[in-house]
Amino acid sequence: MAYQIHLEQFDGPLDLLLSLIEKEKMDITSISLAKVTDQYIGYLNSEEVVSLSHLSSFLSIASRLLLIKSRALLPVLEFSDEEEESMDDLEMRLKEYKKFREVAMKLNLLFGAKKMLYSRESFSGLQVVFYPPKDITAEDLHQHFSHILGEIPLLETLPEKELQTVITLEEKILELQRTLSDRVESSFSQMIREGADRTDIIVSFLAILEMVKQRFIFVKQEKFFSDIHINRLIS
Amino acid sequence: MPTHQSLFSVLESLLFISGESLSFVRLSKIIGHSEEEIELALNELSEKYLQDETSGLKIVLHNRQALLTTKAENMEKVEFLTKSSMQESLSKAGLEVLSIIAYRAPISKSAIEAIRGVNCNFTLRNLLLRDLIERQENPTDAREYVYSPTFRFLQSLGLENIQSLPDYAVLSVDERLKMFDESSKTVSENEERENKKEIKE
Amino acid sequence: MPTHQSLFSVLESLLFISGESLSFVRLSKIIGHSEEEIELALNELSEKYLQDETSGLKIVLHNRQALLTTKAENMEKVEFLTKSSMQESLSKAGLEVLSIIAYRAPISKSAIEAIRGVNCNFTLRNLLLRDLIERQENPTDAREYVYSPTFRFLQSLGLENIQSLPDYAVLSVDERLKMFDESSKTVSENEERENKKEIKE
């Protein structure tokens, strides 16, 4: 991989994202977000671990980042109001999260300051008096205990089909380079795997943009929404 | 109804025996003074303990309840007696969730998760077990709970109220909600004015 | 060793937290002053409470031991508080803790809390005071107690023993309780597991 990130375990996508931005010593803006997008997606596929139950949260942020990145790469691209909103929202959420991440460290110091205020045990020193509650039956105990059993949370297990492999931009570019070295021409529809999800489609599209920028390929589209033809530039 | 002097005495006795926190309402009912008088007296008592260097007691006020505790500087000796060393080391996730709850209480699980961008079932459970947070049913949505910091949380940090948290005034406000707050401010300001009036009378 | 002023403060904190009488010897060892100094200070502190009409506390000195308690003139209010805490029919929390203890006795506090997912110090205290449950030292862990329903309480329900509770044979060994068998440790382990699980492809 082109970049190396060896950061500690992250507690969620915003934690990771914020750490990446801070590592670059940047403020939270759409520019910095676009800049760290590849690193973020790389992290998901790196050897670092992301917990299963957190995976979908990481992916949802990934798709927003990809939107932001594609806006930065292609300023002419038009986005729906909803998409614009989700991009601005990410910036705002990140700023909000940052405040709490910082104050959490302050609380940690307070915990360490050893200033515990102790309270007394309730009614300590008083005589025990048998005082059964009125109208309570064995059946009440039965019902409450059964209810408690029902409330016990079981470990969340996600079904296999929800697991997704995140393809990084690099991998997609390599894949496309491989395809094009066999043939001179490919197309966007061929590039996208069968049953590809939104993230995969966006990553593929970004890979194409990146390769156009690197003058490795050129693309042609007959009309709006038609398939994109990809040709290798012979240097 | 007790005289002014004995009001303090009764308050001290009740808080001493209870051990747990007592609400202003409950104290008011037991003692026969108005809630406002109770609140004023508690504030005075709290100040008295603070000023008196020979006193080893302190009052923590939270959610219109009062709790009597030992002073922070005596922690070491107290722990020697109780042999209970409270080590509260928390995970990073635990600290973040706790911060969000402390500054934004009462707050629902989904609102906490929206801020952190990740689910926090087990972290919440862990904080509940450590008695650092508590949950109530959400008055506006019966399907979920809302979470608040406990007395234990304030005690662990050595704070006498929630406002003594670092940057409380700034962080307790959700900027995205500021617009809505503007419109509701008028109401609470009036309410406050009304409350002040009552105290004076 | 504390200064003269803070000696009073420490004494007050220790007597406050103890709940039972503390011998001069023990106080002397904890605080690091001589027994004579402790005795003098306790006499002074006792005098201070007596003189201060705003104070609701008093010190009882007997057999070279000291006990902090409430002033006699507040007895009525104190009794009102304890009675009103008892008369309230059992809270939901009270019923839950009681049912867990009934079906899983003998059970430790940490195990009860792990099952309920919240801290229950106060509830246990209340059930003990009402003589609905009793505690013994935990044979496997000296640092904590285990709780069981009292025989009187079972009798008041018309039961011979806990085995006569409805569905006892099935519910007391329910599968879902297995994860709590090793006390509350499981919870933090789960939290860790939640964070460490790897992406499988």
Side-chain angles (χ1 to χ4, degrees):
Chain A
M1 229 162 267
Y3 41 81
Q4 292 284 318
I5 34 166
H6 284 293
L7 298 161
E8 80 262 50
Q9 180 91 47
F10 291 102
D11 282 311
L14 297 182
D15 188 20
L16 168 61
L17 199 46
L18 199 53
S19 303
L20 291 173
I21 291 174
E22 282 169 354
K23 201 165 146 267
E24 301 282 333
K25 299 191 170 57
M26 293 187 292
D27 291 330
I28 301 167
T29 61
S30 56
I31 298 165
S32 58
L33 285 174
K35 197 162 175 211
V36 299
T37 298
D38 295 353
Q39 296 181 44
Y40 178 94
I41 292 172
Y43 177 86
L44 293 196
N45 215 35
S46 69
E47 281 167 32
E48 307 283 337
V49 288
V50 174
S51 86
L52 212 53
S53 55
H54 292 176
L55 185 57
S56 62
S57 335
F58 274 95
L59 288 174
S60 124
I61 298 295
S63 65
R64 286 183 196 212
L65 280 174
L66 290 168
L67 269 178
I68 290 172
K69 169 140 185 167
S70 48
R71 182 172 61 177
L73 281 174
L74 272 186
V76 290
L77 220 55
E78 280 195 17
F79 293 92
S80 70
D81 288 350
E82 195 188 325
E83 285 165 333
E84 290 284 357
E85 208 175 290
S86 90
M87 288 185 266
D88 294 343
D89 181 57
L90 181 59
E91 241 178 276
M92 198 136 87
R93 281 179 60 189
L94 210 52
K95 285 177 184 162
E96 177 86 343
Y97 171 70
K98 186 178 170 106
K99 292 186 214 160
F100 286 103
R101 203 173 73 157
E102 282 167 1
V103 86
M105 292 303 110
K106 290 189 190 170
L107 287 198
N108 197 28
L109 289 179
L110 280 177
F111 272 117
K114 299 213 153 255
K115 287 191 155 186
M116 182 77 184
L117 312 173
Y118 282 94
S119 54
R120 280 184 103 220
E121 198 169 56
S122 308
F123 305 118
S124 127
L126 289 186
Q127 194 72 39
V128 169
V129 188
F130 183 53
Y131 202 99
K134 272 182 215 147
D135 50 353
I136 174 181
T137 63
E139 187 48 39
D140 290 329
L141 293 181
H142 177 230
Q143 272 180 16
H144 275 88
F145 191 66
S146 308
H147 179 70
I148 291 162
L149 288 181
E151 294 265 287
I152 293 174
L154 294 172
L155 272 186
E156 282 172 61
T157 46
L158 295 175
E160 280 299 310
K161 64 173 182 196
E162 283 186 34
L163 297 182
Q164 305 178 20
T165 306
V166 180
I167 305 254
T168 64
L169 207 48
E170 279 78 2
E171 284 177 335
K172 210 64 193 179
I173 291 171
L174 283 176
E175 190 185 309
L176 189 59
Q177 281 173 339
R178 250 191 325 265
T179 318
L180 287 174
S181 59
D182 296 342
R183 291 170 291 165
V184 181
E185 194 181 298
S186 180
S187 78
F188 191 52
S189 58
Q190 283 169 9
M191 199 177 151
I192 299 163
R193 293 175 306 167
E194 211 174 301
D197 62 7
R198 272 178 71 160
T199 313
D200 195 38
I201 296 170
I202 298 172
V203 172
S204 304
F205 187 67
L206 284 176
I208 295 176
L209 289 178
E210 195 70 37
M211 290 175 79
V212 171
K213 216 170 107 194
Q214 290 174 16
R215 298 183 178 280
F216 185 77
I217 55 168
F218 70 94
V219 292
K220 250 188 340 213
Q221 190 180 29
E222 302 292 332
K223 55 180 194 275
F224 280 138
F225 304 116
S226 69
D227 199 5
I228 302 169
H229 298 280
I230 305 166
N231 293 281
R232 186 150 62 105
L233 273 176
I234 321 265
S235 51
Chain B
M1 202 189 286
T3 63
H4 188 66
Q5 277 193 321
S6 68
L7 170 58
F8 292 105
S9 166
V10 171
L11 274 175
E12 196 175 57
S13 285
L14 291 176
L15 291 173
F16 175 84
I17 266 310
S18 156
E20 278 283 303
S21 62
L22 287 172
S23 68
F24 297 175
V25 184
R26 186 126 184 249
L27 286 167
S28 152
K29 276 185 192 146
I30 297 175
I31 304 178
H33 277 251
S34 74
E35 258 186 80
E36 289 71 26
E37 285 170 310
I38 297 291
E39 186 171 4
L40 272 177
L42 284 169
N43 282 324
E44 265 189 71
L45 196 56
S46 167
E47 194 57 31
K48 180 192 160 195
Y49 292 142
L50 217 62
Q51 299 298 327
D52 182 358
E53 285 183 41
T54 67
S55 165
L57 303 178
K58 188 181 176 80
I59 287 185
V60 182
L61 297 172
H62 179 54
N63 271 343
R64 301 191 67 72
Q65 303 192 343
L67 173 73
L68 197 57
T69 70
T70 56
K71 272 191 182 156
E73 57 262 36
N74 296 336
M75 163 169 164
E76 213 184 306
K77 303 283 179 202
V78 168
E79 287 192 344
F80 196 83
L81 176 71
T82 58
K83 288 184 191 120
S84 64
S85 176
M86 302 291 176
Q87 40 122 346
E88 301 275 11
S89 109
L90 287 166
S91 68
K92 196 167 141 200
L95 281 165
E96 282 181 14
V97 172
L98 190 55
S99 306
I100 293 168
I101 293 172
Y103 287 89
R104 293 285 162 84
I107 185 169
S108 68
K109 181 165 90 84
S110 50
I112 299 166
E113 290 178 345
I115 292 178
R116 289 194 66 235
V118 75
N119 63 37
C120 52
N121 290 328
F122 278 101
T123 309
L124 280 174
R125 205 174 139 79
N126 205 347
L127 293 173
L128 280 169
L129 278 178
R130 282 162 169 251
D131 197 20
L132 293 171
I133 59 168
E134 62 193 350
R135 60 179 192 200
Q136 293 96 32
E137 295 203 352
N138 188 350
T140 58
D141 185 349
R143 288 164 306 173
E144 58 173 14
Y145 292 106
V146 287
Y147 298 84
S148 312
T150 57
F151 269 94
R152 175 57 185 271
F153 167 72
L154 292 173
Q155 286 174 260
S156 309
L157 300 183
L159 302 177
E160 53 200 10
N161 53 43
I162 196 88
Q163 288 80 23
S164 322
L165 278 170
D167 304 329
Y168 186 79
V170 181
L171 280 179
S172 58
V173 182
D174 186 341
E175 299 217 356
R176 287 171 301 177
L177 296 177
K178 257 187 186 163
M179 274 183 291
F180 302 104
D181 280 354
E182 294 297 300
S183 54
S184 64
K185 208 179 252 173
T186 346
V187 182
S188 54
E189 264 171 7
N190 285 342
E191 239 171 317
E192 227 166 83
R193 216 170 297 147
E194 232 167 293
N195 285 337
K196 277 187 192 142
K197 219 184 289 168
E198 263 174 273
I199 297 170
K200 274 183 205 144
E201 279 165 13
Chain C
M1 202 189 289
T3 63
H4 189 66
Q5 276 193 322
S6 69
L7 171 58
F8 292 105
S9 167
V10 171
L11 271 175
E12 194 175 58
S13 282
L14 290 175
L15 291 172
F16 170 81
I17 214 70
S18 155
E20 50 192 43
S21 45
L22 288 170
S23 69
F24 297 176
V25 184
R26 180 121 190 257
L27 286 168
S28 153
K29 275 186 192 148
I30 296 175
I31 303 178
H33 277 250
S34 72
E35 261 188 77
E36 290 67 32
E37 284 171 308
I38 296 291
E39 186 170 6
L40 270 175
L42 283 169
N43 283 322
E44 262 189 75
L45 196 56
S46 170
E47 194 57 31
K48 179 190 160 196
Y49 291 142
L50 216 61
Q51 298 300 325
D52 182 359
E53 285 184 42
T54 68
S55 166
L57 303 177
K58 80 168 177 206
I59 289 184
V60 181
L61 297 169
H62 179 60
N63 259 346
R64 300 191 67 70
Q65 297 197 328
L67 173 72
L68 192 61
T69 176
T70 53
K71 274 190 180 156
E73 59 259 40
N74 297 335
M75 180 74 101
E76 203 189 318
K77 302 285 181 200
V78 167
E79 274 182 3
F80 189 83
L81 172 71
T82 47
K83 274 195 191 131
S84 66
S85 309
M86 307 259 269
Q87 271 160 2
E88 286 158 14
S89 63
L90 230 43
S91 64
K92 185 170 169 252
L95 272 166
E96 283 183 9
V97 171
L98 195 53
S99 74
I100 292 170
I101 294 174
Y103 279 90
R104 297 285 285 177
I107 182 169
S108 71
K109 181 168 95 78
S110 51
I112 300 168
E113 289 177 343
I115 292 173
R116 270 192 80 219
V118 290
N119 181 280
C120 53
N121 279 328
F122 181 68
T123 313
L124 281 175
R125 192 65 210 152
N126 199 286
L127 295 174
L128 279 170
L129 198 66
R130 298 174 81 146
D131 204 15
L132 305 177
I133 59 170
E134 58 194 356
R135 64 182 188 189
Q136 293 100 30
E137 304 242 326
N138 187 347
T140 59
D141 184 350
R143 286 166 308 175
E144 58 174 15
Y145 295 105
V146 286
Y147 298 84
S148 311
T150 57
F151 184 60
R152 304 171 90 157
F153 172 58
L154 290 176
Q155 268 188 322
S156 77
L157 296 177
L159 302 173
E160 285 292 309
N161 48 41
I162 48 176
Q163 285 77 28
S164 359
L165 280 164
D167 287 340
Y168 181 84
V170 179
L171 288 184
S172 63
V173 292
D174 191 279
E175 276 284 309
R176 285 164 288 192
L177 294 162
K178 273 200 177 140
M179 67 185 277
F180 302 114
D181 279 351
E182 283 173 62
S183 83
S184 60
K185 219 179 269 172
T186 333
V187 177
S188 48
E189 271 167 17
N190 282 343
E191 198 189 350
E192 235 164 75
R193 207 175 305 150
E194 189 177 45
N195 289 329
K196 288 223 175 103
K197 216 173 275 178
E198 288 186 38
I199 304 176
K200 280 180 210 142
E201 287 178 10

